[in-house]
Amino acid sequence: MNQKEKFWGLIILLVVILGYVIPYTFLSDITKWYGSFLVWSILAVITILANYFLTTDWSDEE
């Protein structure tokens, strides 16, 4: 595992943690569903981008 993979892995881990922390702490007073849905949608896009950058240089050659 190189530095790039560790960096993007930590970003994904941070996004997963934020997916739990933000809705249940900062958005807990918002009774509408779309508050958390917006946060989860943004975090999903960030995770997709992180996975893209993580896997761009993967190939069959080592």
Side-chain angles (χ1 to χ4, degrees):
M1 193 181 248
N2 61 21
Q3 287 296 107
K4 180 182 173 185
E5 291 173 345
K6 288 180 184 178
F7 172 75
W8 288 111
L10 287 174
I11 295 294
I12 292 170
L13 181 64
L14 179 66
V15 168
V16 169
I17 291 170
L18 287 176
Y20 285 101
V21 171
I22 291 174
Y24 294 114
T25 57
F26 300 115
L27 300 178
S28 62
D29 294 333
I30 298 175
T31 57
K32 302 290 184 185
W33 63 270
Y34 49 79
S36 295
F37 185 73
L38 176 64
V39 171
W40 288 327
S41 298
I42 292 169
L43 293 176
V45 170
I46 293 170
T47 303
I48 291 168
L49 288 172
N51 280 317
Y52 172 77
F53 289 120
L54 177 65
T55 60
T56 52
D57 61 348
W58 287 8
S59 64
D60 293 332
E61 301 173 15
E62 290 275 331

